[in-house]
Amino acid sequence: RQDPDRRIALIGGPDERDAAAEVLSCCAPETRARIVSFAGAFDLRGSLALVSQLGLFIGNDTAVMHSAVALGVPTVSLFGPTNPRKWGNYGPCHRVLESPDGTMASLNVEDVQAAALSLLEQSLLATGSRNPV
């Protein structure tokens, strides 16, 4: 299931640079080599231009996540303290995962991975290919 051309893009504002660096530090070297951090690199318009090129977006309840949905990017939406029945985006190319206790920390990594793989496989079947980002 691993595509050596697939890249991982970290997107965030200037105040999220440290969090992006922490994510990178937790990754194995082979994973780190596939990650490009754009945290703090773009304004909202630039971030949305990047998001429009993604083959998959995984993120919490933010304007960028809702924009990914609006742009038609397959999206795994993660909900902790916010209500997915009120703010979630449902549809064939979106998966909504809700924390059982209202915290992001209790989201199950395996559930996120399964939702992401499902969307990637669905996207590949539907289009024959997607951007490797």
Side-chain angles (χ1 to χ4, degrees), residues 42-51:
F42 300 118
D43 61 9
L44 181 58
R45 183 178 296 204
S47 294
L48 297 181
L50 174 62
V51 167

Side-chain angles (χ1 to χ4, degrees), residues 1 55-58 74-78 92-98 108-123:
R1 292 185 190 234
L56 174 71
F57 181 90
I58 301 172
T75 303
V76 178
S77 303
L78 309 175
C93 64
H94 310 299
R95 301 291 183 273
V96 174
L97 299 178
E98 180 179 8
N108 185 304
V109 173
E110 290 80 16
D111 291 343
V112 175
Q113 182 180 26
L117 290 173
S118 168
L119 285 174
L120 285 172
E121 289 172 5
Q122 177 181 318
S123 179

Side-chain angles (χ1 to χ4, degrees), residues 7-10 23-24 27-28 30-37:
R7 300 289 180 250
I8 300 167
L10 297 180
V23 167
L24 286 167
C27 294
E30 61 272 10
T31 302
R32 234 185 346 261
R34 297 172 52 199
I35 297 174
V36 179
S37 177

Side-chain angles (χ1 to χ4, degrees), residues 17 26-28 43 65 68:
R17 286 185 180 126
C26 294
C27 294
D43 61 9
M65 180 275 291

